[in-house]
Amino acid sequence: MTTRKYSVGRLGTTALALLVTTVTTAAAHRRRSERTRLQERQLELEELAMRRKALAHQQRMQWELLARAIDDPSLAAVIDTYDKRIPAERRRQFFYANAWYVHLYHLYRAGLLDREELYRHLREFFQSPIFREYWKASQPMRASLNETSEEAQLGHMVDGLVRDLDEADTDEWWVVGHPPTD
């Protein structure tokens, strides 16, 4: 019987050792998995930061290039795709209107404006006859966008806003249309 107790005790010790090893291995695996997940998340955040930095740089460059075109008609000729029957001064105003539209678009893309806020700002900008004229004149440029792109979808939203403003039977433009919600 002593032998039996010794075997049972030894078996219990072996089982306990096996259990401890299993628990320790599982805990180490969880720590490695968590460490890997945290490293992946860190890489995602770094990539997002790099994209935002690149987008901010692109916005600055776009503004710089557009500002040069606004200031110098010889440079504007490089990017001017508006109907040449439109007077040069008006086309320069269109460049400026485009700069504002792109500015608002980038604020939206950066998450600084939601879609409803973007809509409200644009509703105000479209009180300007020049801004409306710009929007109409730039329609062929928007037609070349991929229909599934966010930029094209926002363009359709703005087209709807312009229609609502045109059809409104009120002078209270700030209540016209139905701002979308995100």
Side-chain angles (χ1 to χ4, degrees):
M1 204 135 182
T2 308
T3 305
R4 195 174 195 148
K5 284 184 183 178
Y6 176 71
S7 295
V8 171
R10 188 169 179 184
L11 184 60
T13 303
T14 303
L16 181 60
L18 183 59
L19 179 63
V20 168
T21 301
T22 302
V23 169
T24 304
T25 302
H29 179 71
R30 276 193 306 276
R31 284 191 302 273
R32 278 192 306 274
S33 294
E34 180 66 15
R35 193 170 36 248
T36 300
R37 189 188 66 73
L38 289 173
Q39 288 171 343
E40 288 172 358
R41 180 66 179 142
Q42 181 65 30
L43 289 173
E44 289 171 5
L45 291 173
E46 288 171 4
E47 183 180 336
L48 180 62
M50 287 180 359
R51 270 195 237 133
R52 285 187 174 172
K53 186 176 179 179
L55 181 60
H57 176 72
Q58 181 272 334
Q59 291 167 358
R60 280 190 300 276
M61 286 300 299
Q62 181 179 16
W63 170 249
E64 178 68 28
L65 293 169
L66 198 50
R68 288 180 185 182
I70 290 169
D71 292 341
D72 185 341
S74 68
L75 296 178
V78 173
I79 61 169
D80 188 352
T81 58
Y82 295 108
D83 185 337
K84 299 306 179 215
R85 292 175 291 188
I86 300 170
E89 181 179 338
R90 182 59 57 131
R91 291 194 319 265
R92 287 178 64 205
Q93 290 172 328
F94 288 176
F95 288 138
Y96 189 69
N98 176 258
W100 272 105
Y101 178 76
V102 169
H103 172 70
L104 291 171
Y105 173 73
H106 286 303
L107 287 175
Y108 168 75
R109 292 270 327 267
L112 299 173
L113 294 176
D114 63 22
R115 199 177 278 239
E116 185 176 350
E117 292 167 319
L118 173 65
Y119 185 91
R120 289 183 175 149
H121 283 287
L122 288 169
R123 184 168 48 195
E124 182 177 350
F125 273 90
F126 277 98
Q127 297 314 298
S128 162
I130 296 172
F131 207 87
R132 283 179 181 237
E133 194 177 332
Y134 146 74
W135 190 253
K136 184 177 179 182
S138 64
Q139 194 284 326
M141 296 166 212
R142 290 189 309 282
S144 67
L145 296 173
N146 179 337
E147 281 298 313
T148 61
S149 72
E150 186 175 41
E151 190 173 359
Q153 292 170 7
L154 288 175
H156 293 308
M157 177 192 79
V158 174
D159 290 338
L161 167 62
V162 172
R163 269 190 311 278
D164 289 346
L165 289 167
D166 287 344
E167 295 170 0
D169 60 354
T170 180
D171 290 334
E172 296 175 345
W173 57 265
W174 54 93
V175 298
V176 172
H178 301 286
T181 55
D182 283 337

